[in-house]
Amino acid sequence: MNDWLRRLMPAAPGRLRRAGVLGLNGRNMNVLTAWNPKGLYRLTDDKLVTKELCASCGIATAETYAVVDHPVQVRRLDRRVGGRREFVVKPARGAGGRGVIIVVDRRGEDFVRVGGLTLSLGGLRDHILEILSGLYSIGGRVDRAIIEQRLCAHPALAAVGAGSTPDVRIVLYRQEPVMAMLRLPTVASAGRSNLHRGAMGVGLDLRTGSAVAAVCNGQVVDRHVDTGLPLGGLWVPAWREVLAVARKLAAAIGMGYVGVDIVPDARGAAVVLEANGRPGLTIQIANRRGLLKRLADVDARLTRRASPQPVEWA
Ligand SMILES: Nc1ncnc2c1ncn2[C@@H]1O[C@H](COP(=O)(O)OP(=O)(O)O)[C@@H](O)[C@H]1O
Ligand SMILES: [Mg+2]
């Protein structure tokens, strides 16, 4: 845990709020309840539904190679993978990186995962059967498995990506970007950029997309934890496009509080990985800033343009 937050943590929720930090209760009770109608979660909780929505409004996503929705289909798995050396397997209704396997090569009959571990065709079949059973799905419901294109990092992020694919999380409130972080996969996170798996979060200046601070496992860091590369001076390529795509998807989803995850890919495009209707709050540590003031600023700006009653933040 970093100093800034450690000083605040023993504090009562009121003190955290005064420091401008949006807490879990505040997010759930003030923000999600007010701005995210329950019926809209179907657009974010299932990645295949999000992908369809993106396609319908011209937003790029990773190409879907195959969808497995019945156990009998795993018999033809090799055909579905189609001889590809690189791909990603994930649960449609997963979260937090659980059940996501990133394949980067083949060795004989086996698949090589990020980090070098191998997986046999049988192992991949078993993994997909686990996905179908709902082992990784939100709420434990039966699920579908997605086999999709592995996105590769933009050259400007290749070094700091260390063989994996960094992504950018943009949090939007009332469809305005309010906070952003670049997420860097680590050895511990097995190529996934989920902070709870040990990935690094680099807070970003919203105007420029350049790094302002970074966190890994709750600790403030200034270098990549695996490679030692300094993080100062890091910036996100295609920043304007990343913001534009995030706005477009948030508007299409219709939620007032949403996190959009975007990969600035090897060709310079902003490709959506997923949208999250309950984005986590660690982004505030990565930025060393609380969200409350930013939410209040958006309320003030939009209220001037005649809108619903703003939430009382302070
Ligand atoms: N198609 C992909 N190409 C490269 N990396 C990916 C791809 N899909 C997922 N990842 C990596 O795995 C992480 C988790 O995948 P994601 O689709 O966001 O599922 P979850 O909902 O579990 O977070 C991503 O943040 C990213 O780092
Ligand atoms: Mg994710």
Side-chain angles (χ1 to χ4, degrees), residues 10-69:
R15 195 159 144 213
L16 281 175
R17 205 166 52 235
R18 278 195 295 282
V21 177
L22 178 65
L24 206 59
N25 287 341
R27 182 198 68 176
N28 293 346
M29 291 163 65
N30 296 335
V31 188
L32 300 187
T33 314
W35 295 106
N36 289 1
K38 284 210 166 55
L40 294 183
Y41 283 98
R42 67 181 183 81
L43 300 175
T44 57
D45 286 357
D46 186 322
K47 292 181 176 62
L48 287 169
V49 177
T50 312
K51 277 184 179 228
E52 275 167 27
L53 181 66
C54 286
S56 73
C57 48
I59 296 173
T61 58
E63 183 189 342
T64 304
Y65 296 147
V67 176
V68 183
D69 55 15

Side-chain angles (χ1 to χ4, degrees), residues 47 88 90 94-97 148-149 151 167 183 193-194 273-274:
K47 292 181 176 62
V88 174
K90 61 170 84 169
E148 71 178 21
Q149 170 196 13
L151 299 169
D167 67 19
R183 307 187 306 174
S193 54
N194 306 82
L273 266 188
E274 66 160 335

Side-chain angles (χ1 to χ4, degrees), residues 55-119:
S56 73
C57 48
I59 296 173
T61 58
E63 183 189 342
T64 304
Y65 296 147
V67 176
V68 183
D69 55 15
H70 192 281
V72 76
Q73 295 169 342
V74 300
R75 282 198 224 133
R76 295 264 177 88
L77 190 58
D78 34 359
R79 287 244 311 259
R80 286 172 187 276
V81 167
R84 293 186 174 91
R85 304 191 81 81
E86 287 189 316
F87 56 90
V88 174
V89 177
K90 61 170 84 169
R93 294 177 49 82
R98 294 178 64 236
V100 177
I101 288 187
I102 300 166
V103 172
V104 294
D105 204 357
R106 286 196 177 206
R107 192 173 300 144
E109 298 286 291
D110 291 345
F111 302 100
V112 182
R113 300 174 60 174
V114 172
L117 287 178
T118 55
L119 187 68

Side-chain angles (χ1 to χ4, degrees), residues 112-274:
V112 182
R113 300 174 60 174
V114 172
L117 287 178
T118 55
L119 187 68
S120 65
L121 184 61
L124 193 62
R125 278 201 186 106
D126 289 345
H127 181 73
I128 290 179
L129 289 174
E130 284 181 351
I131 291 177
L132 299 184
S133 76
L135 188 66
Y136 307 108
S137 83
I138 302 168
R141 284 167 39 193
V142 289
D143 202 358
R144 296 182 284 180
I146 305 172
I147 303 174
E148 71 178 21
Q149 170 196 13
R150 177 183 172 234
L151 299 169
C152 292
H154 186 282
L157 297 174
V160 86
S164 291
T165 313
D167 67 19
V168 183
R169 157 72 52 94
I170 311 278
V171 173
L172 300 101
Y173 174 62
R174 300 176 70 183
Q175 271 116 61
E176 296 287 327
V178 285
M179 209 168 259
M181 72 176 156
L182 174 67
R183 307 187 306 174
L184 305 175
T186 59
V187 170
S189 75
R192 298 160 296 183
S193 54
N194 306 82
L195 298 196
H196 288 106
R197 307 256 149 234
M200 307 179 56
V202 182
L204 298 173
D205 180 322
L206 268 182
R207 274 182 313 110
T208 60
S210 50
V212 294
V215 65
C216 188
N217 293 319
Q219 302 288 332
V220 170
V221 290
D222 58 5
R223 289 177 176 271
H224 193 291
V225 292
D226 296 326
T227 63
L229 272 179
L231 301 173
L234 200 58
W235 52 277
V236 172
W239 180 240
R240 281 182 186 286
E241 198 192 338
V242 168
L243 286 181
V245 167
R247 280 180 193 275
K248 194 169 176 184
L249 183 54
I253 292 169
M255 286 179 170
Y257 190 73
V258 65
V260 177
D261 296 345
I262 296 175
V263 172
D265 82 350
R267 297 162 305 135
V271 183
V272 165
L273 266 188
E274 66 160 335

